[in-house]
Amino acid sequence: MGLSAAEVFDGLGIDYEKAFAGLTAHREELEWLLTELPDKSKVLDVGCGTGRPTAEVLVAAGHDVTGCDVSPGMIEIARTQVPGARFEVADLRTLSYPAESWDAVTAFFPLLQLTRAEIDAALVKFADWLTPGGIFLLATVPADVESLDIEFMGKPVTVSSYPPEEFTRRLTAAGLDVLHHRVVEFHPDHPHAIPEHDLFLAARKPS
């Protein structure tokens, strides 16, 4: 059994931000999102980590950003690095908001340490939380795996995921229109990291 997400990311802290700083696809998806959002949109950043780059980029563009992460250590860093956003320690599995609360929801890599049942529930919640016309941005490592024990940046973790087409199917079933998706190869800048394939997917809730 791997470490919990809170244990993993409390341990990694700012090293995680540094390891993924070169993931240009992440910033490209954020730049695309900025072209889609109305001014002063309310954005929820799930799995916000250190607040960079997602919350930082969105706040700089004038949006109202709330970040949440299961790691208290990450939230402490985020509050220091991105004072213009709000940050909360929260577990995605129990996180709850009223329907149509957010103009956009971003979820860059918070799903991997969930079970498949928890991933399914999270995708449905994300869709429910969006306002009509709202945007959902997802990043994850796509794979046909469930409760697989691996090592991530030197730490034991248990991961679950789906192939890209399954994420598309599940978001469509949740009522979202998938706008684009792509898989990129990336090697995190960390001595214990291995190359990975990352899925970036954007979807919209019909107006």
Side-chain angles (χ1 to χ4, degrees):
M1 178 67 74
L3 299 173
S4 72
E7 291 169 328
V8 170
F9 290 99
D10 274 348
L12 290 174
I14 202 71
D15 287 344
Y16 177 83
E17 178 186 318
K18 292 176 181 176
F20 282 81
L23 184 53
T24 55
H26 187 152
R27 290 185 177 273
E28 290 166 356
E29 293 297 321
L30 291 175
E31 290 300 322
W32 172 84
L33 179 62
L34 292 179
T35 69
E36 299 291 320
L37 289 178
D39 291 345
K40 299 181 180 179
S41 288
K42 289 184 61 180
V43 183
L44 176 66
D45 182 19
V46 180
C48 63
T50 65
R52 292 177 176 164
T54 306
E56 184 176 62
V57 167
L58 292 168
V59 166
H63 298 295
D64 181 0
V65 181
T66 297
C68 60
D69 201 286
V70 73
S71 163
M74 288 292 202
I75 291 296
E76 185 176 342
I77 295 169
R79 286 172 175 161
T80 299
Q81 295 196 143
V82 192
R86 290 177 301 280
F87 294 99
E88 305 167 357
V89 177
D91 189 325
L92 173 54
R93 295 169 296 184
T94 55
L95 190 63
S96 178
Y97 290 105
E100 301 184 6
S101 295
W102 303 96
D103 299 309
V105 175
T106 61
F108 288 96
F109 303 106
L111 301 182
L112 282 164
Q113 285 187 259
L114 304 181
T115 65
R116 278 185 165 177
E118 290 166 347
I119 292 171
D120 294 346
L123 295 177
V124 170
K125 287 200 296 187
F126 296 154
D128 183 58
W129 294 343
L130 288 172
T131 57
I135 299 287
F136 173 55
L137 270 187
L138 170 70
T140 193
V141 178
D144 190 7
V145 296
E146 184 168 17
S147 300
L148 177 68
D149 292 326
I150 66 167
E151 185 176 288
F152 174 70
M153 293 177 64
K155 299 184 182 298
V157 298
T158 302
V159 299
S160 299
S161 192
Y162 289 113
E165 61 272 15
E166 278 300 311
F167 280 106
T168 297
R169 191 179 74 79
R170 280 167 164 72
L171 288 171
T172 300
L176 301 184
D177 296 328
V178 174
L179 303 176
H180 65 255
H181 63 87
R182 58 174 167 155
V183 176
V184 301
E185 185 173 359
F186 178 69
H187 192 159
D189 184 13
H190 188 275
H192 298 295
I194 61 173
E196 60 186 42
H197 288 86
D198 298 330
L199 168 68
F200 290 86
L201 184 153
R204 187 191 305 275
K205 188 169 188 173
S207 299

